[in-house]
């Protein structure tokens, strides 16, 4: 983008509050995408009212929108603000000269000046510009000169790493079984036989159980190869022949949420399942790249290896639960020994979980690399990951006869083998983004959270899949090794550590426990009779602090998906209050008939909407009887934007037409901490009266 005043290329600069904005290097102004202005003002409610009223004293047509080149921005004034400004009526983007921004801040009672933040940080950004990668042509030439394999970083040896991990897991299981034998007298031979039998039965039965579950509750249809588009049918045929595999069974889940996964026994009886949403948002090359990723799982025997790895934590957890339960039954002479067994089994269970998750992440990198080798274009999978992982799909919308947006027709839960961990991908569905091409800047903005926020590392350790940004970077390296220029190149410099916000988030999470502990301590000094009341009182205070931080009830600023993804200082604990308009396009879990969560699409992307109620039965009934009514309709949602690690909005209110649906979790939590507070006060008063 170029400055509309001096035609100089705008520079992307991170402000102090970690929002990426576009600034004129000559100091002429700042471009703010739709909703970005709300990140900078302290009185978003007042600004929201000004925007709703629109510009007054409209002047001549303004400059062309920097995001919508075919649109001319409105030029005028907000109420009680003297300088004019430029506002795009479509995307709500703003061009603000420095004087205009100062006036806007003053009118909102704010001393926060993003323009001066930007200018202070500009020297750092200018220095970063010098280190940016060379031109596309020189990158291609250098890639060809150095040689593909020299640039391609080696992955851990798959056979060796898998063998080491499986040996470690079964060593942990054997240690737990030996401990059971020594402390309880149960034959170790029977325990080992039980473990082997459980693994074998689970391995044989699981694909058939998955077949039934997907058909019954997730609307799966099996498709014959002849029914597939020729480009996909021929591609799969070519890949399986080269790798001496049988043609996989292909299934389609008729839902707008994009995902793909594979399961089965061996490479020769693999099932590959894709959703309708995945086909809708990806082009032919990207669909082939995703399917190649799933074929990579089958080729590498990931189905068998991860089944064997996944059984160990299950058995260890079973030993833990059984030992704990038996130890509490009546007068058990070996109760103390069984408690030891339970403790050790649970510790080994935790360790085995992390070992298995690490192995799963390594095998994901191998499946990605297999896809790049099979297609010869690793960048296609990288773009597909951006569209699915961040909700930034770049497909043009189709129009029906009434000029309404519709989903394009395409064709007439396995956790480890999906394109993403279902916990992270459940809320993603088809969307559009600014015309027919993916916005690279938006993709890089979304990647900032994965690469910089400490919470991202926490979630990755607990996930079956690496963070999308890390996979995209690895695929970019593979592209460069092939002498190709990756579309997504993340070269931004981290503006700060973000560990201070992470520490605050942890403190907020611990505030109820800390409040109870402080209450107990104070109560012990005042007298034992006061301890219960002080504990409840402290617990109530702690919950109040957590609630006030995690459910900010003011400033639900109107934003779009692309703008929200720019925010780095956001987590499951630290939300951004937002309001969002868009169309509901699918269920949160593809095809699941009782999924209460839904997916919203606006003009810039799509995002998962988390529908929560105090009772699970209310959510279940909503999923069974209400969700279908929302799909295809325009809604306005008010709630809290969070990231954990998938971007999502926890719904507060959702309005469709004249109907408003409210989630009452927030209200119940307020009532809970008030009750705790009052109960604590009454118990303290009773203790003092004794």
């Amino acid at each position: 983008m170029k400055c509309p005043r001096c035609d100089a290329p705008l520079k992307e600069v991170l402000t102090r509050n970690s929002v990426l904005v576009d600034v004129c290097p000559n100091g002429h102004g700042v471009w703010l995408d739709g909703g970005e202005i709300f990140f900078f003002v302290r009185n978003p409610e007042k600004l929201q009212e000004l925007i709703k009223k629109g510009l007054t004293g409209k002047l001549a047509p303004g400059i062309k929108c920097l995001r919508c080149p075919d649109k001319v921005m409105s030029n005028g004034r907000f109420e009680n603000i003297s300088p004019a400004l430029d506002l795009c009526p479509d995307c709500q983007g703003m061009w603000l000269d420095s004087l205009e921004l100062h006036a806007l801040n003053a009118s909102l009672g704010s001393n926060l000046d993003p323009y001066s933040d930007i200018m202070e940080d500009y020297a750092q950004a200018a220095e970063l510009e010098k280190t940016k990668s060379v031109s596309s042509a020189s990158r291609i030439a250098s890639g060809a000169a150095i040689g593909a394999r020299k640039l391609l970083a080696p992955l851990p040896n798959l056979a060796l790493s898998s063998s080491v991990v499986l040996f470690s897991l079964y060593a942990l299981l054997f240690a737990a079984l030996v401990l059971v034998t020594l402390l309880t007298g149960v034959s170790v031979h029977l325990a080992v036989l039980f473990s082997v039998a459980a693994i074998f039965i689970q391995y044989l039965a699981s694909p058939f159980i998955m077949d039934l579950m997907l058909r019954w509750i997730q609307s799966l249809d099996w498709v014959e190869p002849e029914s597939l588009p020729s480009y996909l049918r021929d591609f799969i045929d070519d890949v399986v022949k080269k790798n001496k595999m049988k043609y996989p069974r292909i299934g389609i889940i008729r839902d707008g949420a994009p995902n793909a996964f594979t399961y089965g026994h061996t490479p020769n009886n693999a099932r590959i399942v894709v959703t309708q949403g995945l086909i809708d948002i990806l082009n032919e090359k990207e669909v082939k790249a995703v399917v190649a990723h799933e074929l990579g799982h089958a080729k590498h025997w990931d189905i068998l290896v991860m089944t064997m790895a996944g059984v160990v934590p299950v058995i260890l957890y079973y030993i833990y639960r059984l030992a704990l339960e038996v130890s509490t039954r009546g007068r058990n002479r070996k109760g103390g020994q069984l408690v030891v067994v339970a403790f050790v089994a649970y510790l080994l269970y935790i360790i085995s979980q992390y070992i298995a998750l690490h192995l799963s992440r390594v095998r994901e990198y191998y499946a990605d690399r297999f896809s790049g080798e099979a297609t010869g274009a690793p960048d296609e999978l990288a773009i597909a990951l951006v569209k699915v992982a961040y909700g930034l799909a770049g497909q043009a919308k189709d129009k029906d006869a009434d000029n309404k947006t519709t989903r394009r027709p395409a064709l007439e839960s396995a956790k480890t083998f999906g394109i993403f961990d279902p916990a992270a991908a459940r809320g993603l569905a088809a969307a559009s983004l600014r015309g027919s091409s993916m916005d690279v800047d938006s993709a890089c903005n979304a990647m900032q959270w994965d690469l910089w926020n400490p919470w991202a590392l926490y979630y990755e350790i607990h996930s079956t899949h690496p963070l999308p940004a890390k996979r995209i970077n690895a695929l970019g390296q593979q592209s460069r090794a092939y002498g190709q220029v990756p579309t997504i190149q993340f070269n931004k410099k981290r503006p700060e550590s973000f560990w201070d916000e992470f520490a605050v988030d942890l403190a907020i999470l611990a505030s109820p426990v800390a409040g109870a502990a402080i209450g107990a301590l104070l109560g012990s000094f005042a007298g034992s009779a006061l301890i219960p009341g002080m504990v409840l009182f402290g617990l109530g205070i702690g919950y109040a602090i957590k609630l006030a931080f995690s459910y900010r009830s003011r400033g639900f600023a109107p934003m779009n998906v692309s703008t929200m993804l720019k925010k780095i200082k956001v987590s499951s604990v630290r939300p951004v209050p937002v309001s969002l308009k868009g169309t509901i396009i699918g269920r949160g879990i593809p095809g699941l008939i009782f999924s209460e969560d839904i997916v919203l699409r606006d003009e810039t992307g799509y995002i998962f909407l988390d529908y929560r109620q105090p009772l699970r039965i209310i959510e279940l009934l909503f999923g069974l009887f209400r969700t279908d009514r929302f799909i295809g309709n325009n809604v306005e949602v008010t709630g809290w934007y969070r990231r954990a690690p998938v971007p999502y909005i926890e719904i507060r209110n959702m309005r469709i037409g004249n109907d408003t649906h409210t989630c009452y979790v927030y209200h119940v939590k307020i009532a809970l901490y008030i009750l705790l507070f009052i109960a604590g006060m009454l118990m303290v008063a009773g203790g003092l009266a004794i």
Side-chain angles (χ1 to χ4, degrees):
M1 293 189 296
K2 292 186 177 181
C3 173
R5 306 303 183 200
C6 66
D7 208 36
L10 298 182
K11 306 295 183 182
E12 289 185 338
V13 178
L14 282 160
T15 62
R16 288 175 181 174
N17 60 348
S18 301
V19 177
L20 192 72
V21 296
D22 301 283
V23 56
C24 171
N26 299 321
H28 290 146
V30 177
W31 169 260
L32 299 175
D33 284 315
E36 271 186 357
I37 185 64
F38 291 101
F39 287 135
F40 298 104
V41 298
R42 294 180 180 176
N43 193 342
E45 294 91 348
K46 186 172 182 179
L47 176 60
Q48 191 171 347
E49 288 301 317
L50 291 175
I51 293 176
K52 284 182 179 179
K53 292 179 180 178
L55 299 177
T56 60
K58 293 184 180 180
L59 307 178
I63 59 178
K64 286 189 175 181
C65 176
L66 279 67
R67 288 293 186 189
C68 316
D70 57 334
K71 299 291 182 182
V72 176
M73 302 176 71
S74 300
N75 181 263
R77 301 179 178 89
F78 284 131
E79 191 176 65
N80 299 323
I81 300 177
S82 54
L85 53 85
D86 297 279
L87 176 68
C88 177
D90 283 5
C91 72
Q92 297 296 302
M94 289 184 183
W95 174 261
L96 297 169
D97 294 323
S98 56
L99 290 177
E100 295 168 354
L101 188 54
H102 283 296
L104 186 62
N105 280 323
S107 70
L108 298 174
S110 171
N111 59 10
L112 181 63
D113 188 350
Y115 192 71
S116 99
D117 285 350
I118 292 166
M119 287 295 96
E120 288 178 12
D121 290 345
Y122 180 70
Q124 178 183 1
E127 183 65 26
L128 180 60
E129 281 291 313
K130 298 178 182 179
T131 65
K132 282 189 175 181
S133 53
V134 294
S135 66
S136 299
S138 61
R139 276 194 296 267
I140 294 174
S142 62
I146 296 175
R149 297 305 170 188
K150 290 184 180 179
L151 286 175
L152 195 55
L155 294 173
N157 183 282
L158 189 61
L160 178 62
S161 59
S162 299
S163 300
V164 170
V165 166
L166 290 177
F167 176 81
S168 302
L169 286 172
Y170 282 91
L172 292 177
L173 179 58
F174 183 76
L177 295 174
V178 168
L179 182 64
V180 171
T181 302
L182 293 176
L183 294 182
T184 65
V186 177
S187 172
V188 69
H189 302 292
L190 290 176
V192 172
L193 182 62
F194 167 78
S195 301
V196 173
I199 295 169
F200 184 71
I201 293 172
Q202 195 268 353
Y203 176 65
L204 289 180
S206 59
F208 303 109
I209 295 173
M210 281 292 297
D211 291 345
L212 293 174
M213 290 179 61
L214 291 171
R215 284 295 297 271
W216 288 351
I217 67 174
Q218 288 195 259
S219 308
L220 174 73
D221 293 327
W222 294 111
V223 179
E224 295 298 324
E226 295 76 19
S227 301
L228 294 172
S230 58
Y231 78 88
L232 184 57
R233 179 181 65 248
D234 295 343
F235 173 75
I236 296 174
D237 188 60
D238 181 61
V239 173
V240 296
K241 284 181 179 177
K242 288 181 179 178
N243 291 276
K244 299 179 181 179
M245 299 163 55
K246 289 185 178 179
Y247 206 97
R249 195 178 183 190
I250 306 295
I252 298 176
I253 295 177
R254 308 291 179 177
D255 192 274
N259 201 6
F261 54 89
T262 185
Y263 64 98
H265 293 124
T266 71
N268 289 326
N269 75 340
R271 286 88 152 161
I272 294 178
V273 178
V274 298
T275 64
Q276 185 73 49
L278 186 88
I279 300 167
D280 285 349
I281 70 171
L282 303 183
N283 63 34
E284 294 181 2
K285 293 181 179 179
E286 293 157 2
V287 171
K288 289 195 292 186
V290 170
V291 171
H293 171 93
E294 302 307 331
L295 288 170
H297 281 305
K299 168 65 177 177
H300 298 143
W301 289 79
D302 290 351
I303 303 165
L304 172 61
V305 173
M306 292 312 303
T307 296
M308 294 177 65
V311 165
V312 174
V314 172
I315 295 177
L316 288 171
Y317 187 78
Y318 174 76
I319 294 172
Y320 153 71
R321 292 293 304 174
L322 183 63
L324 194 63
E325 182 180 347
V326 173
S327 68
T328 58
R329 289 179 184 170
R331 298 178 179 179
N332 194 322
R333 290 181 297 175
K334 296 184 178 180
Q337 295 173 335
L338 288 172
V339 169
V340 173
V341 169
F343 173 78
V344 173
Y346 188 76
L347 180 63
L348 295 179
Y349 158 73
I350 296 296
I351 295 172
S352 67
Q353 282 274 62
Y354 286 112
I355 292 175
L357 289 172
H358 170 74
L359 177 61
S360 177
R361 292 193 295 270
V362 169
R363 302 185 83 86
E364 285 299 324
Y365 282 119
Y366 266 95
D368 285 350
R369 184 160 293 184
F370 179 90
S371 174
E373 293 172 350
T375 62
D379 197 50
E380 300 299 339
L381 181 60
I383 295 173
L385 294 180
V386 169
K387 291 181 178 182
V388 176
Y390 302 124
L392 298 177
Q395 169 197 312
K397 293 173 288 186
D398 294 329
K399 303 287 183 177
D400 60 16
D402 299 323
N403 202 38
K404 295 180 180 179
T405 300
T406 59
R407 281 215 308 271
R408 172 175 58 87
L411 295 177
E412 305 289 271
S413 217
K415 184 173 184 179
T416 306
F417 312 117
I419 193 70
F420 286 103
D421 184 340
R426 58 181 179 172
L428 307 175
S432 297
L433 180 68
R434 296 191 185 113
S436 59
S437 61
M438 185 188 65
D439 190 294
V440 175
D441 290 340
S442 295
C444 290
N445 295 340
M447 289 171 65
Q448 291 173 149
W449 193 91
D450 280 358
L451 298 175
W452 293 347
N453 194 305
W455 278 109
L457 178 61
Y458 169 83
Y459 289 120
E460 183 180 47
I461 293 173
H462 294 81
S463 175
T464 57
H465 290 59
L467 291 171
K470 293 185 178 180
R471 294 173 65 185
I472 292 164
N473 280 341
L475 288 163
Q477 184 187 55
Q478 188 178 7
S479 292
R480 286 188 289 270
Y482 291 174
Q484 303 165 5
V485 182
T487 301
I488 310 298
Q489 300 188 76
F490 189 87
N491 53 12
K492 295 179 175 64
K493 186 175 181 180
R494 189 198 307 261
E496 55 179 294
S497 70
F498 301 105
W499 282 96
D500 50 347
E501 284 81 12
F502 180 71
V504 171
D505 287 358
L506 291 180
I508 293 297
L509 282 174
S511 57
V513 176
I518 293 172
L521 182 64
L522 295 176
S524 64
F525 288 123
S528 59
L530 299 181
I531 291 179
M534 291 297 293
V535 168
L536 287 181
F537 181 77
L539 192 63
I541 294 295
Y543 271 122
I545 293 172
K546 183 178 178 181
L547 188 69
F549 189 86
S550 298
Y551 288 90
R552 302 170 192 179
S553 57
R554 293 186 59 194
F556 291 89
M559 292 190 186
N560 57 48
V561 173
S562 180
T563 297
M564 287 188 294
L565 291 179
K566 291 185 176 184
K567 188 69 174 176
I568 302 173
K569 294 181 180 179
V570 61
S571 66
S572 61
V573 187
R574 182 188 299 268
V576 178
V578 299
S579 64
L580 191 67
K581 294 180 179 179
T583 304
I584 301 301
I585 59 169
R587 294 178 179 268
I589 301 177
L592 188 63
I593 59 175
F594 49 80
S595 172
E596 75 280 4
D597 301 319
I598 48 183
V599 180
L600 178 145
R601 176 185 67 199
D602 69 6
E603 291 299 315
T604 68
Y606 52 89
I607 194 164
F608 173 70
L609 302 182
D610 186 13
Y611 180 87
R612 295 183 185 178
Q613 293 291 2
L615 298 176
R616 183 69 182 94
I617 186 63
I618 300 176
E619 298 176 4
L620 180 64
L621 293 174
F622 181 87
L624 285 172
F625 302 112
R626 293 291 186 91
T627 301
D628 278 341
R629 301 180 188 178
F630 282 82
I631 296 176
N633 288 298
N634 295 325
V635 300
E636 182 175 356
V637 176
T638 300
W640 296 272
Y641 167 59
R642 306 180 189 272
R643 199 155 174 175
V646 61
Y648 72 97
I649 294 176
E650 181 182 345
I651 299 172
R652 186 187 190 191
N653 296 303
M654 182 166 54
R655 186 158 58 95
I656 174 172
N658 296 323
D659 297 332
T660 299
H661 297 262
T662 302
C663 292
Y664 292 100
V665 170
Y666 169 67
H667 307 83
V668 169
K669 287 184 176 181
I670 291 177
L672 175 63
Y673 93 75
I674 291 175
L675 288 174
L676 286 172
F677 183 83
I678 293 174
M681 291 290 291
L682 292 175
M683 292 180 70
V684 168
L688 291 173
I690 295 176

